[in-house]
Amino acid sequence: MHWLSVLVQTPAHSAVAGPLTYQSELPLAAGSLVRVPFGTREVLGVVWDALDAASLDRPESEIRAISAVLEGVAPLTVAWRQLVHFAASYYQRSLGEVALAALPPQLRDLSAAQLARRLKRPAGGAVDSTLTTPDLIALSEEQVRAIARFDAEAGPFLLFGATGSGKTEVYLRCVQALLERDATAQALVMVPEINLTPQLEARFRARFAGRYGEAAVVSLHSGMTNPQRLKSWLAAHSGVARIVLGTRMAVLASLPRLRLIVVDEEHDPSYKQQEGARYSARDLAVYRGRLEGAKVLLGSATPSLESWHHSRPAAEGGRYQRLEMPSRIGLGSVLPKVRLVDMSLQPKKTVFSPQLLQAITERVARGEQAMVFLNRRGYAPVLACSSCDWKSECPHCSAYRVFHKIDRTLRCHHCGFTERVPRACPSCGNVDIAPLGRGTERLEEHLAEMLAGVRRPNSVSVQWPEGAPLRIARIDADTTRLKGALESQLAQVHAGEVDVLVGTQMIAKGHDFRAITLVAAVNPDGALFSADFRAPERLFSLLMQAAGRAGRDAAQSAASEMWIQTLHPQHPMFAALRRHDYPAFAAGQLREREQAGLPPFSYAALVRAEARTQAVAQGFLNAASAAAAAMEPALAGYAQVTLFPAVPMTIQRIANVERAQMLIESPSRAALQRFLSAWHAVLQATRQQPEGRGLIRWAVDVDPLAI
């Protein structure tokens, strides 16, 4: 009989958080996938290690046997298991939770017999001779230099390239060189959002499917069906897939011959998981590259301040190599001119300044396209009564329900609670209830009213009657709910069937709109004075990315513009934005953070607690902090960390659950990690005390993005 240490999926706060012991008649290699009994269920497990009889923690007669081995799936590699172990340890989660969450959901549900039948299906790896490899475009001098340095140096690399500078072509060339050099090598290319995956996948398929086969390029993201995810995962795990394109979940995919990792738009907050194991896919990509000897290429026009800081000269302590491509592709291509409109000089309640409306009208008259950006969906963020203090508050959350005019509903964007718009004020009966503020739905309606008299010119490429009204389209989470809706709407924009595009950040990054020459940000001031120290960084990045959608066609780039309507045109951030000077903006932000002792000059973690009352949530956190102070000499790392008092979260109640948080800071990453590891047992014990009664859950968020 053989004794095995097996991981199953258990949450970090569970009493059963480590590997479990099972017996097997046959020896199994570490990394093998098995089905094991767990309570009254049978679940998927990963063999983590072999045990000897002397190390068993209970009598042999009490140890259950594994139910089946998943034949036909090679054991997960040592490097993959090391990656999972690091992620679980660093982000303070259980090994089983991280390991099993990294596997496709359908694999967790299939029995051994069902998986055997699934593996008999053809993989489709044959090369299609009808597919052709497109001719390669000529590279710019900056692209050539970046690729040469990438080939010659070890990395990791930060590719700092302006929007439209050809970063995607650099990714393609680096992947192509790898596949030509190594017949078995695999590459992982990550993007921040699902809606960016199809267009990137199309470019990679066009470049590589003709030479390596359709199955050589696969996608991995949560928008796929479970069978699709299983098929892609098996192709990557077996080595059939040479290129894997995916979102943050793909960083934990099994790629046994991984030699290159590309993280596009590495600054994007979407790379940070916000549920379960709160890992940063960007940071794990860098660690995985070092672990597996794979080169790592991070790319962005507005890098995160952490990556920018790490890419400073090696003499100053930098760990990344910075590759720069400041120019746009194409003869005469320039970045759009940034124009600021001082809204304090406009009449009150002005939404679109006359100057901006005139600029949009001129673009449409020339057959060009414009884009209007507002990062708030819905018709209005709140519905209010003019006679009393009633507002459309959510009864289950400490937030307002958003008014959606298209279906006459009030919808909470946090818990999903939806009701029809009342005919009169529920508090006083007044029928005069009106929307306050604007979302993209209201912005689209208002823009249509303001431009009602504008007519579109005749077009050769798109058939419409000359003098027809211009067409305004809106792209946000509400208009793209149905499968295929986003692709259809983007195709209309690319085909020239849309004159003015209105949307949220979904349209502000990653898309290659060739006819858009004007981008307008209507109300970006909210983040300028936010309590979150990362808000200016996120706003600058979003506005730079939005500006990058304009003038991507070299013939029109000289006339492209980015309009920003603001009440604070003298703000230093806008001065850097007008010059497209990210280095100056980053230098200023880093100086402020160093003076304040904020990341990347310190390290932080948040402990979040959820309960039915705020008193219980905060009481649990404060009790755990007091317990740590009481045992200070024995608690590793305590002397080098600062624990702040528990406070409610910004939105303190969601779905009738109260939420509180406690911030922990340290100048030493190692000390913070030592403390969190030692404090875990204290948190577990505190939950069993009176202070922990009524607690629903707690979780640790290491390197949080929002504080």
Side-chain angles (χ1 to χ4, degrees), residues 185-204:
Q186 293 176 297
L188 171 62
V189 181
M190 297 171 58
V191 293
E193 296 186 31
I194 292 172
N195 63 57
L196 299 180
T197 305
Q199 68 178 38
L200 190 69
E201 183 178 17
R203 291 193 64 175
F204 271 84

Side-chain angles (χ1 to χ4, degrees), residues 215-293:
V217 183
V218 300
S219 292
L220 269 177
H221 56 77
S222 59
M224 303 168 67
T225 65
N226 285 346
Q228 288 172 334
R229 284 174 63 176
L230 177 60
K231 182 180 179 181
S232 293
W233 186 90
L234 289 172
H237 178 64
S238 64
V240 171
R242 305 289 306 282
I243 304 167
V244 175
L245 308 173
T247 51
R248 62 174 176 261
M249 62 181 292
V251 75
L252 293 171
S254 174
L255 292 140
R257 292 181 283 277
L258 182 63
R259 296 295 177 268
L260 171 63
I261 305 176
V262 174
V263 185
D264 190 25
E265 308 293 359
E266 64 86 29
H267 66 276
D268 199 288
S270 298
Y271 283 121
K272 185 71 158 68
Q273 174 77 9
Q274 297 300 326
E275 297 293 336
R278 290 169 167 82
Y279 61 85
S280 166
R282 178 199 65 210
D283 295 346
L284 281 184
V286 175
Y287 180 83
R288 186 172 189 178
R290 184 166 70 248
L291 192 66
E292 303 199 36

Side-chain angles (χ1 to χ4, degrees), residues 50 258 337 348 576:
L258 182 63
K337 183 177 181 180
K348 287 187 176 181

